[in-house]
Amino acid sequence: MKKTNILVFIITFILFFIPFFWLKPGEMNLGGDSGRLYFYDPLSYLNNTILYSFSSSGTGVENYGYPPFFFMLILIVLKFIFSSTTIISIFNGIVLSFAFLSIYFIVYELLNNFKNPIEKSVVACSSILAGLLYIFSQLSIYSGWENPILSHNQIFLNPLIFFLLLKYFISRKKLYMYAAILISVIFAANFSFEGAPAFFAFYPLSLTFLICYVKFIKKLSIRLKELIFAIILFLLAHSFHLIPEIASLFSSGSSLNKTFFIQEGESTRMGLDFFISIASSVKVSLIWLSAAQFQNALIFSILIIFPIIFVLGFYLNKEKTLLLTGIFFLAAMFFTSANITDIGFFFYKQLFKIPGFSMFRNYHGQWLYAYIFFYVLVFGQTFAIVASKLSRRLFFIFIFVFSLVILGFGIPLITGAASIVTHEENGIRYTFRMDPIYEKVLNYFKKYPIDGKIITFPITSPGFQIFQGKDGGVYQGLPTISYLTGISNFSGFETLGPFNEVFIQAMFDRNYDVIKKIFSILNIHSIFYNSDPYIYSDSFKPYLYNY
């Protein structure tokens, strides 16, 4: 047992330090839809973004960015000690190591409670492989490491919170419950409206599993009073963002109200139409293989070993725990694919009639993390069952083959390739070193704020700002002028609000009178022009300049 603990510690230690080799000194990865500028300048990000109800970007939409308040305070303290590069590496190291440890302990706990005991070495090896598969599977690697958004935190938050709740239900020790609530407050954004799709995709399903496991497998009673107390404590701890969000939700005309209570006739446009348009792109067979959607035949032939283990494990199974896990695994598979038989497809379409369900229109991305979670729980149990039937020699061969496969497919993440380059055919590198000249620009805006708004050229379609770093890397994300200096900035087609179509047409027509009028209406005082020819190249046209 001591050898196993040492091995788990070594693996955790290695996983924590792997991200320190992804970035060169001074490099950062700050882009993506959610933006991660807080790693670069957390104090400015807090002062100019989180503390305000409306965004300074564009025409000023409602801002749901205030939940990460406590996380920002931690980053501010760390910024006094470490560079942005080191902080990003530390955070990524925590993500990898905690994700592995959480899955390891969950699978270990489930296997140790089998009625037919399995040898400890088999339990330990199966739990380790399940933890490694969770972070190195094709679905995990290609789920957003290159431009992480807010929901990406699920990779370690989901199994960590699940494990703490599992320990609480089994041991009845409230310390685990308090730890889970504390972690949820630190990462409050993942438990707010902004993180709603991720929250509702994982927690209702996983909490139902926990209750069923404790009630029907462990034969323990559910302490309702403690559970109600925990829910109330959770709501109170998150009241600093839930109260204003609920107020906005029921305020007629607010963006949150419009998003949740879709008006008659708009549901198709906002949710169902989008779902139907992408439904054919996800194949159940590839999900079953735990592969990304586009892979070659060689990968298919290797990944087939995972479904084989599943089938053999269920065939040899005599445990209720695996059957229960299998039921929730199939439920997660259905929601992740949403296209299993015509009846299943019809059923998923009907769910869009529920207010707020349109958040699952990008169903594959929203349910993916819940699916990966239950996938590795099933893998860990079926692997242990099959391995327990093998001789000692075959067992070691078994372990070696699966370790080789899992680590082999984890190479893009281990080397950092998956976290650096998205469009390899265009050679765009999304890690960059901040140009000192551009830092002077930001500092100028901080010290001498102008009385008026700024428009940034080039204008991108989604409203991203794009600029090249000192050594060729690229920042592609939220407008830095808005989020780090507090000056209202129009950086893209979507940020121009009701004037976007008119403005772009006036640009093409060179109708300067119309452009001046729009500038006057929007109180645009200055133009910030990036003359770097690289950011106008064909590499960025398909997505950034497609208006």
Side-chain angles (χ1 to χ4, degrees):
M1 194 62 191
K2 289 183 178 180
K3 291 181 179 180
T4 300
N5 292 336
I6 293 173
L7 178 60
V8 172
F9 173 79
I10 292 173
I11 294 174
T12 305
F13 182 82
I14 293 173
L15 289 174
F16 177 78
F17 281 101
I18 280 176
F20 285 82
F21 297 94
W22 292 351
L23 301 174
K24 298 176 182 177
E27 279 191 338
M28 298 173 288
N29 181 6
L30 306 175
D33 289 352
S34 296
R36 304 201 304 166
L37 290 169
Y38 41 78
F39 283 123
Y40 169 67
D41 190 350
L43 184 58
S44 296
Y45 192 90
L46 175 66
N47 287 335
N48 299 302
T49 306
I50 296 176
L51 299 180
Y52 298 93
S53 299
F54 293 92
S55 170
S56 60
S57 176
T59 53
V61 297
E62 281 184 88
N63 181 20
Y64 300 109
Y66 40 81
F69 180 76
F70 300 101
F71 182 58
M72 291 299 110
L73 293 181
I74 295 174
L75 291 182
I76 290 171
V77 173
L78 290 176
K79 195 67 171 67
F80 284 108
I81 307 171
F82 304 108
S83 67
S84 297
T85 304
T86 303
I87 294 174
I88 293 172
S89 300
I90 291 173
F91 180 76
N92 287 333
I94 290 173
V95 170
L96 287 179
S97 57
F98 274 67
F100 165 75
L101 272 181
S102 300
I103 293 295
Y104 169 81
F105 285 123
I106 292 169
V107 175
Y108 195 89
E109 182 75 34
L110 296 178
L111 290 175
N112 269 335
N113 285 284
F114 274 15
K115 286 188 175 181
N116 300 300
I118 295 178
E119 188 179 340
K120 292 294 183 181
S121 60
V122 176
V123 171
C125 290
S126 302
S127 303
I128 290 173
L129 287 178
L132 291 175
L133 179 63
Y134 181 73
I135 55 180
F136 289 148
S137 71
Q138 296 289 282
L139 291 177
S140 295
I141 289 178
Y142 297 105
S143 62
W145 275 101
E146 73 287 345
N147 278 318
I149 60 176
L150 176 69
S151 60
H152 195 257
N153 290 343
Q154 290 180 93
I155 286 187
F156 81 101
L157 283 177
N158 286 354
L160 179 58
I161 298 293
F162 182 94
F163 170 69
L164 292 172
L165 293 178
L166 174 64
K167 294 296 291 184
Y168 162 69
F169 278 120
I170 293 176
S171 68
R172 309 299 178 91
K173 294 180 180 180
K174 294 182 182 179
L175 180 63
Y176 292 110
M177 176 183 69
Y178 296 145
I181 293 175
L182 176 61
I183 292 170
S184 73
V185 172
I186 294 174
F187 295 94
N190 287 86
F191 298 85
S192 67
F193 167 76
E194 194 176 1
F199 178 87
F200 286 106
F202 179 76
Y203 288 98
L205 203 63
S206 59
L207 287 175
T208 304
F209 172 85
L210 280 174
I211 292 173
C212 292
Y213 177 74
V214 172
K215 187 75 175 177
F216 302 113
I217 306 297
K218 296 291 293 182
K219 305 295 184 182
L220 297 173
S221 60
I222 304 294
R223 295 182 178 179
L224 290 178
K225 290 184 179 179
E226 285 189 4
L227 191 58
I228 294 172
F229 171 75
I231 294 173
I232 294 174
L233 185 60
F234 173 83
L235 294 175
L236 288 174
H238 287 268
S239 60
F240 70 96
H241 68 86
L242 287 179
I243 291 175
E245 286 175 348
I246 292 172
S248 177
L249 177 65
F250 293 101
S251 297
S252 179
S254 70
S255 60
L256 182 51
N257 178 272
K258 290 179 180 178
T259 301
F260 191 83
F261 300 106
I262 301 173
Q263 303 300 314
E264 186 67 28
E266 291 184 357
S267 59
T268 299
R269 178 179 61 82
M270 294 192 67
L272 189 56
D273 254 4
F274 184 89
F275 161 69
I276 293 175
S277 68
I278 64 173
S280 60
S281 64
V282 176
K283 297 180 180 179
V284 182
S285 58
L286 298 187
I287 294 176
W288 171 250
L289 291 169
S290 186
Q293 288 302 292
F294 302 100
Q295 298 292 354
N296 57 43
L298 176 61
I299 292 179
F300 289 160
S301 63
I302 296 175
L303 287 175
I304 197 69
I305 63 176
F306 292 102
I308 290 175
I309 289 297
F310 279 35
V311 173
L312 288 176
F314 276 101
Y315 176 76
L316 299 171
N317 177 53
K318 296 180 182 179
E319 302 290 337
K320 293 181 181 178
T321 302
L322 178 57
L323 291 177
L324 179 67
T325 312
I327 292 172
F328 282 84
F329 164 70
L330 292 175
M333 174 184 280
F334 167 74
F335 284 111
T336 307
S337 59
N339 197 9
I340 300 178
T341 74
D342 291 338
I343 296 176
F345 187 60
F346 174 79
F347 172 73
Y348 197 90
K349 289 191 293 184
Q350 301 311 302
L351 294 176
F352 282 91
K353 296 178 180 178
I354 302 173
F357 193 81
S358 61
M359 64 182 170
F360 293 119
R361 60 189 180 274
N362 183 17
Y363 62 101
H364 182 63
Q366 305 297 3
W367 293 99
L368 179 63
Y369 295 93
Y371 172 74
I372 296 172
F373 177 79
F374 284 103
Y375 187 101
V376 297
L377 295 194
V378 172
F379 169 76
Q381 294 176 68
T382 53
F383 185 91
I385 291 172
V386 175
S388 64
K389 306 296 181 182
L390 302 175
S391 65
R392 201 70 178 171
R393 184 177 180 181
L394 284 177
F395 170 70
F396 284 115
I397 295 175
F398 209 51
I399 294 293
F400 176 77
V401 170
F402 275 86
S403 299
L404 196 63
V405 171
I406 293 172
L407 292 176
F409 286 117
I411 288 176
L413 191 63
I414 294 172
T415 60
S419 63
I420 293 175
V421 177
T422 303
H423 306 292
E424 294 185 3
E425 67 278 7
N426 294 328
I428 301 175
R429 183 181 177 90
Y430 286 115
T431 58
F432 71 102
R433 291 175 62 193
M434 185 67 79
D435 192 323
I437 296 176
Y438 188 68
E439 285 186 315
K440 290 181 179 179
V441 172
L442 293 177
N443 289 329
Y444 173 82
F445 284 131
K446 290 177 184 178
K447 293 179 180 179
Y448 307 104
I450 62 173
D451 183 18
K453 301 180 181 181
I454 294 176
I455 186 168
T456 298
F457 286 163
I459 293 176
T460 62
S461 296
F464 283 166
Q465 182 184 6
I466 178 169
F467 61 82
Q468 191 172 189
K470 186 177 180 181
D471 297 323
V474 172
Y475 171 80
Q476 177 182 306
L478 300 178
T480 55
I481 295 175
S482 293
Y483 285 82
L484 296 180
T485 72
I487 296 176
S488 185
N489 175 225
F490 296 90
S491 60
F493 179 79
E494 292 183 4
T495 65
L496 290 166
F499 304 103
N500 49 20
E501 297 280 358
V502 178
F503 182 79
I504 294 300
Q505 190 60 51
M507 291 273 287
F508 280 117
D509 297 340
R510 300 193 179 190
N511 190 335
Y512 300 113
D513 289 335
V514 171
I515 293 174
K516 289 178 181 179
K517 289 179 181 178
I518 294 175
F519 278 10
S520 177
I521 294 171
L522 296 178
N523 191 27
I524 294 175
H525 178 277
S526 304
I527 294 175
F528 180 82
Y529 171 58
N530 189 337
S531 60
D532 181 6
Y534 175 67
I535 64 173
Y536 294 88
S537 64
D538 292 340
S539 300
F540 303 99
K541 281 184 180 179
Y543 177 53
L544 293 180
Y545 307 129
N546 58 0
Y547 49 75

